[in-house]
């Protein structure tokens, strides 16, 4: 008998005598690990229909707070009954579950009472909705990581009280697949908060790592090697892409999403105070220049070529939509996302006025402003679409009362007014045991072909047994797949149109170069030029522009002032900007430079690393405002309850 054979025998004997309970626990752990690697698969039909459509609910930015208990109370009283009525396949909560702020907004740290409130509220919602707790997926937001030095530590309450934490979804990337008879719908949640959670406001951006991007790539491709059903891919996270930094290897979430041509990316973070059209269409193209990748002027990438290539083997554009949704904190917002035969749509709901008895959600045709892509047009013009998916107008109707009738109306806006050109009764096509009432009406879709993507408008009305009428929001549609160009407001453009993480260093060094130029060039003129630049020289050609050089030259004649400004600029480049305590209950102070906060890594034997870039853009102006507020209110909290700092 060899040594290896003897050891193998001992190993086999050990397996035999393992208690059944331990073996069962091991099987559960193995099953849980396997599920995290590939993701859970849910058969959403189970004989209940409707077979062609699935829908999920998204909530974001709950900000449960001990200082605002009405947020959690409204959440329980509204969301529980609404989820029972909607009966979604998934409930996605995309970050900022708790607020983590003091009443005066000066202290930002995790509060266990808020997390206990969140846990209790979610248990109540699950109970009232009658849904399986396993279909709820919640993610960290930046508020959920304020002052958390390490994930899994004593201040990481998310790991203890969130649903993902309770269900041992410990990975930064988690996926779940909703499978119907003809489609797979892959949802992938990603947590891009900083592994070392700084206290706010230097915790504003998502920070995906190379490891996270590799895992995300793997999860999004998990069905690619299996032929058969088409796969609709929808990732969801907290941070918009404009507020997501690059990884160590300069890769981005956008790169991964474009590679897989996901249908949409669902996110939160910005709330509704910046606008209600926080959507952005992303597309990769050889004609898109570097500057256009940094700054996108409109919600849509302008088409580089109006012609469509239908030849065999022609490359399809890689593209996707980014849909940021409103917040529960103030707006009491909720979103329903539906996928009907591959067509992805959504509606945003506002519950500030209370519960809704009926919700009407059109699922086809799609809104030409916020939902169509260039691939939609290509499929239509090249006849690659599924004709049966175009032959009916379809809608989901969720109601607390029986529905008596559903009517679709189409209006033509070409005359300058909305003239109704079609009115048809819709027929319920789902069975009595269905998860919702699904309605359809046949139409001649080719009659609505038009080069204008916002000529025709759709509205659907439902009347319940109490004779209450509910109408959907009017939406433009384009059968041809042509996208209506929609512009942002200036506030929407400010938060969605810029890739702030890539612009931080160019903006920083441009400002530094400008300041140095205004100091050094006039100084050089005084030293090396033979001309005498006096007040009379500049006043001869009156004007503000001619006065600026005179002011700069006069500044150079004041050595103390000139040297002070130059020294200040040099200080900003080589010295710390702030000194403070970035973690709760940690007396150790760290410093911040333009490269970020220099913190001691918890997994690199005391090695310091810079984190929080480009988040530091918000630090200086916020700290000045906070300091001013403290002086005005006569407060000085000291200790670990706030930052102590110097301002360069």
């Amino acid at each position: 008998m060899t040594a290896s054979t003897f050891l193998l025998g001992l190993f086999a004997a050990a397996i035999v005598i393992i208690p059944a309970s331990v073996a069962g626990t091991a099987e559960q752990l193995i099953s849980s690990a396997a599920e995290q690697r590939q993701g859970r698969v849910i058969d959403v039909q189970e004989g209940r229909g409707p077979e062609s459509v699935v829908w999920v609910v998204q909530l974001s930015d709950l900000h449960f707070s001990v200082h605002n208990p009405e947020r959690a109370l409204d959440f329980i009283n509204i969301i529980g009954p609404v989820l029972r009525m909607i009966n979604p396949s998934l409930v996605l909560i995309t970050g900022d579950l708790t607020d983590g702020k003091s009443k005066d907004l000066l202290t930002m740290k995790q509060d266990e009472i808020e997390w206990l409130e969140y846990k209790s509220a979610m248990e109540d919602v699950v109970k009232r909705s009658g849904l399986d707790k396993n279909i709820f997926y919640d993610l960290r937001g930046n508020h959920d990581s304020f002052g958390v030095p390490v994930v899994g530590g004593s201040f990481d309450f998310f790991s203890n009280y969130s649903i993902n934490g309770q269900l041992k979804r410990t990975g930064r990337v988690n996926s779940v697949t909703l499978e119907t008879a003809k489609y797979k719908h892959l949802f992938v949640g990603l947590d891009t908060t900083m592994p070392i959670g700084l206290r706010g406001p230097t915790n504003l951006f998502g920070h995906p790592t190379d490891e996270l991007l590799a895992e995300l790539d793997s999860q999004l491709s998990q069905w690619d090697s299996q032929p058969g059903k088409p796969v609709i891919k929808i990732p969801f996270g907290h941070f918009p892409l404009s507020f997501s930094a690059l990884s160590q290897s300069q890769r981005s979430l956008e790169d991964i999403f474009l590679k897989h041509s996901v249908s949409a990316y669902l996110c939160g973070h910005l709330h509704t105070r910046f606008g209600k059209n926080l959507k952005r269409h992303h597309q990769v193209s050889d004609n898109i220049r570097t500057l256009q990748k940094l700054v996108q002027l409109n919600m849509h990438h302008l088409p580089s070529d109006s012609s469509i290539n239908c030849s065999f083997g022609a490359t399809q554009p890689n593209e996707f939509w980014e849909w940021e949704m409103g917040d529960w904190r103030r707006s009491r917002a909720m979103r329903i996302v539906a996928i009907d035969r591959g067509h992805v749509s959504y509606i945003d709901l506002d519950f500030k006025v209370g519960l809704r008895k009926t919700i009407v959600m059109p699922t086809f045709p799609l809104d030409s402003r916020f939902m169509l892509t260039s691939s939609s047009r290509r499929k239509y013009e090249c006849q690659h679409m599924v004709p049966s998916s175009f032959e009916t107008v379809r809608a989901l109707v969720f109601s607390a009362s029986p529905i008596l009738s559903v009517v679709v109306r189409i209006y033509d806006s070409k005359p300058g007014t909305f003239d109704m050109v079609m009115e048809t009764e819709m027929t319920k096509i789902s069975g009595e045991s269905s998860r919702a009432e699904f309605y359809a009406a046949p139409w001649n879709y080719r009659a609505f072909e038009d080069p204008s993507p916002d000529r025709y408008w759709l509205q659907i009305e439902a009347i319940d047994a109490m004779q209450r009428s509910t109408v959907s929001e009017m939406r433009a549609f384009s059968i041809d797949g042509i996208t209506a160009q929609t512009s942002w407001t200036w506030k929407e453009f400010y938060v969605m149109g810029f890739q702030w993480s890539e612009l931080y260093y160019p903006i920083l060094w441009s400002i530094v170069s400008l300041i140095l130029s205004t100091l050094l060039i006039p100084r050089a003129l005084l030293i090396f030029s033979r001309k005498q630049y006096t007040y009379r020289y500049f006043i001869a050609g009156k004007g503000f522009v001619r006065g600026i050089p005179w002011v700069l030259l006069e500044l150079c004649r004041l050595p103390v002032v000139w040297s002070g400004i130059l020294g200040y600029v040099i200080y900003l480049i080589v010295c710390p900007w702030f000194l403070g305590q970035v973690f709760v209950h940690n007396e150790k102070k760290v410093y911040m430079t333009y490269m970020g906060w220099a913190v001691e890594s918890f997994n690199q034997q005391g090695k310091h690393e810079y984190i929080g870039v480009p988040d530091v853009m918000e630090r200086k102006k916020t700290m000045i405002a906070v300091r001013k507020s403290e002086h005005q209110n006569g407060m000085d909290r000291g200790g670990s309850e706030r930052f102590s700092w110097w301002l360069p």
Side-chain angles (χ1 to χ4, degrees):
M1 178 183 293
T2 63
S4 60
T5 307
F6 175 72
L7 291 174
L8 200 59
L10 285 178
F11 179 70
I15 293 177
V16 171
I17 62 174
I18 289 177
S21 59
V22 177
T25 303
E27 289 177 2
Q28 291 174 2
L29 290 173
I30 293 171
S31 175
S32 176
E35 182 178 304
Q36 277 200 355
R37 284 194 302 270
Q38 183 171 0
R40 186 181 175 206
V41 179
I42 301 175
D43 184 353
V44 297
Q45 302 309 320
E46 297 177 352
R48 295 182 297 168
E51 295 183 355
S52 65
V53 61
V54 299
W55 59 94
V56 304
V57 162
Q58 181 191 2
L59 295 152
S60 193
D61 297 88
L62 312 184
H63 289 271
F64 286 179
S65 170
V66 294
H67 310 294
N68 297 275
E70 71 281 358
R71 297 174 189 170
L73 186 61
D74 288 349
F75 191 82
I76 294 169
N77 293 333
I78 294 175
I79 297 302
V82 168
L83 289 181
R84 176 176 286 276
M85 181 176 74
I86 296 175
N87 196 10
S89 296
L90 293 174
V91 179
L92 315 175
I93 309 177
T94 52
D96 282 357
L97 314 179
T98 64
D99 200 37
K101 287 185 177 180
S102 61
K103 190 173 183 178
D104 54 21
L105 307 182
L106 299 181
T107 304
M108 302 182 191
K109 65 176 184 178
Q110 299 303 295
D111 190 328
E112 191 169 12
I113 296 176
E114 293 179 348
W115 282 101
L116 288 167
E117 181 181 49
Y118 173 76
K119 181 176 182 288
S120 175
M122 291 309 303
E123 289 174 349
D124 204 333
V125 165
V126 170
K127 182 178 179 181
R128 292 192 185 199
S129 67
L131 298 175
D132 183 356
K133 186 176 181 179
N134 288 284
I135 71 169
F136 287 76
Y137 285 75
D138 50 10
L139 300 173
R140 276 188 187 86
N142 55 312
H143 282 249
D144 306 319
S145 63
F146 280 162
V148 179
V150 60
V151 173
S154 58
F155 296 104
D156 179 21
F157 298 127
F158 177 91
S159 295
N160 296 327
Y161 299 115
S162 69
I163 290 180
N164 272 14
Q166 295 173 57
L167 297 179
K168 306 303 179 185
R169 300 172 186 150
T170 57
R172 288 268 176 170
V173 180
N174 291 281
S175 67
V176 57
T177 301
L178 305 178
E179 187 167 7
T180 63
K182 296 183 178 180
Y183 287 90
K184 285 187 174 77
H185 309 84
L186 174 61
F187 291 83
V188 182
L190 51 140
D191 173 9
T192 60
T193 56
M194 284 186 282
I196 301 175
L198 299 175
R199 297 167 68 185
T202 313
N203 191 339
L204 189 64
F205 282 69
H207 292 266
T209 62
D210 285 323
E211 293 77 14
L212 182 142
L213 294 180
E215 177 64 17
L216 176 62
D217 190 10
S218 174
Q219 293 282 3
L220 286 172
S221 60
Q222 63 183 267
W223 299 112
D224 291 355
S225 61
Q226 300 184 23
K229 299 178 181 179
V231 181
I232 310 300
K233 302 177 182 181
I234 301 180
F236 59 98
H238 179 66
F239 299 95
L241 298 186
S242 55
F243 280 77
S244 295
L246 300 177
S247 70
Q248 299 90 327
S249 62
Q250 301 300 297
R251 299 176 69 207
S252 68
L253 290 172
E254 183 186 38
D255 297 335
I256 305 298
F257 295 158
L258 286 171
K259 173 184 175 182
H260 292 276
S261 281
V262 302
S263 296
Y265 169 57
L266 311 178
C267 59
H269 188 52
L270 294 177
H271 301 201
T272 54
R273 65 176 176 266
F274 291 105
K276 294 187 176 180
N277 286 328
L278 301 181
K279 293 96 181 173
R280 181 180 176 184
H281 179 247
H282 298 258
Q283 183 172 344
V284 62
S285 172
D286 295 335
N287 295 328
I288 296 178
R289 299 176 182 176
T290 302
L291 181 60
Q292 290 177 286
K293 295 179 181 179
L294 299 177
V295 180
Q296 185 170 316
L297 299 178
N298 290 298
M299 189 180 302
H300 305 267
H301 269 302
L302 296 179
S304 57
D305 188 359
S306 58
S307 62
I308 300 295
N309 185 359
C310 294
S311 61
F312 179 78
T315 58
Q316 297 188 26
N318 291 356
E319 58 186 332
F320 68 94
W321 271 102
E322 176 185 359
W323 294 329
E324 199 269 357
M325 75 161 291
D327 58 289
W328 178 262
R329 177 175 178 260
R330 290 184 178 175
S331 304
R332 300 296 190 266
M334 188 185 82
R335 170 176 289 167
I336 306 175
V337 179
I339 306 99
D340 178 5
R341 304 179 192 180
H343 303 287
V344 184
S345 60
Y346 71 90
I347 57 169
D348 287 334
L349 304 171
D350 181 346
F351 289 100
K352 283 189 292 187
V353 295
L355 283 168
R356 298 191 180 203
K357 300 297 183 181
T358 302
I359 299 170
V360 180
M361 180 178 184
T363 61
F364 188 82
L366 299 180
D367 192 320
S368 59
R369 299 165 297 172
F370 310 126
M371 301 174 191
L372 289 179
T373 61
S374 57
S375 61
S376 304
R377 182 184 175 194
R378 184 179 186 277
K379 288 179 181 178
Y380 188 83
E381 292 199 8
C382 300
Q383 297 298 304
H384 292 164
M385 82 292 191
V386 180
S388 60
S389 69
F390 279 70
E391 291 172 353
T392 55
V393 179
R394 299 182 295 279
L396 284 164
V397 179
F398 311 100
S399 181
S401 302
I403 295 297
L404 298 182
S405 69
V406 178
V407 176
V408 55
R409 299 183 180 94
I410 295 178
Y411 299 87
D412 186 354
S413 65
K414 188 174 183 179
T417 59
F418 285 89
D419 293 339
M420 187 168 63
V421 294
M422 174 180 163
E423 183 178 29
T424 303
E425 185 88 13
M426 303 185 76
T427 305
K428 182 179 176 182
I429 62 174
S430 54
E432 293 297 327
S433 59
S434 158
R435 295 173 296 121
E437 295 190 352
F438 192 45
Y439 289 83
W443 67 331
N444 178 17
Y445 65 89
R446 294 196 178 277
F448 298 97
E449 293 178 346
D450 195 88
S452 173
D454 54 2
R455 173 180 175 179
Y456 294 107
W457 293 70
L458 172 78
Q459 188 172 54
I460 297 175
E461 179 185 22
I463 299 176
D464 66 12
M466 304 294 292
Q467 296 299 315
R468 291 176 297 213
S469 172
T470 303
V471 296
S472 65
E473 182 182 0
M474 290 270 286
R475 61 164 60 172
F477 69 90
S478 171
I479 287 296
D480 313 59
I482 303 173
T483 301
Q485 297 296 316
T486 307
S487 298
W488 285 312
T489 64
W490 71 268
K491 287 197 298 183
E492 292 167 347
F493 167 65
Y494 177 76
V495 296
M496 295 295 289
F498 293 97
Q499 287 302 119
W500 288 110
S501 64
E502 298 181 55
L503 288 171
Y504 167 64
Y505 281 114
I507 292 174
L508 174 67
W509 295 122
S510 296
I511 293 174
V512 169
S513 300
L514 177 64
I515 296 174
L516 289 176
S517 299
T518 57
L519 291 173
L520 298 179
I521 294 176
R523 186 72 172 180
L525 287 175
L526 284 179
I527 296 174
F528 299 107
S529 177
R530 296 180 179 179
K531 288 186 178 181
Q532 295 296 319
Y533 295 97
T534 62
Y535 175 74
R536 291 183 178 180
Y537 174 82
F538 291 105
I539 203 65
K542 297 178 181 179
F544 176 77
V545 175
R546 290 183 64 88
I548 293 176
W550 173 75
V551 172
L552 295 176
L553 286 169
E554 289 299 310
L555 182 65
C556 295
R557 294 188 174 99
L558 301 173
V560 175
V561 177
W562 185 87
S563 300
I565 296 176
L566 180 62
Y568 178 76
V569 174
I570 295 173
Y571 180 95
L572 289 177
I573 298 173
V574 300
C575 297
W577 292 5
F578 299 100
L579 176 71
Q581 296 164 222
V582 296
F583 303 120
V584 182
H585 303 302
N586 186 341
E587 296 299 325
K588 188 173 182 179
K589 290 182 174 64
V590 298
Y591 63 88
M592 189 197 84
T593 71
Y594 71 90
M595 296 184 292
W597 286 96
V599 301
E600 186 175 306
S601 175
F602 287 86
N603 57 0
Q604 295 186 17
Q605 293 77 42
K607 182 181 177 181
H608 283 74
E609 59 180 321
Y610 289 97
I611 63 173
V613 172
D615 310 69
V616 296
M617 285 192 294
E618 291 296 314
R619 166 57 62 192
K620 188 168 182 177
K621 64 181 182 181
T622 306
M623 286 293 97
I624 293 173
V626 170
R627 192 62 169 165
K628 182 179 179 182
S629 175
E630 285 185 342
H631 283 301
Q632 289 175 345
N633 292 286
M635 292 182 295
D636 190 2
R637 302 194 185 301
S640 63
E641 288 301 308
R642 68 164 176 83
F643 283 97
S644 56
W645 58 83
W646 69 67
L647 296 176

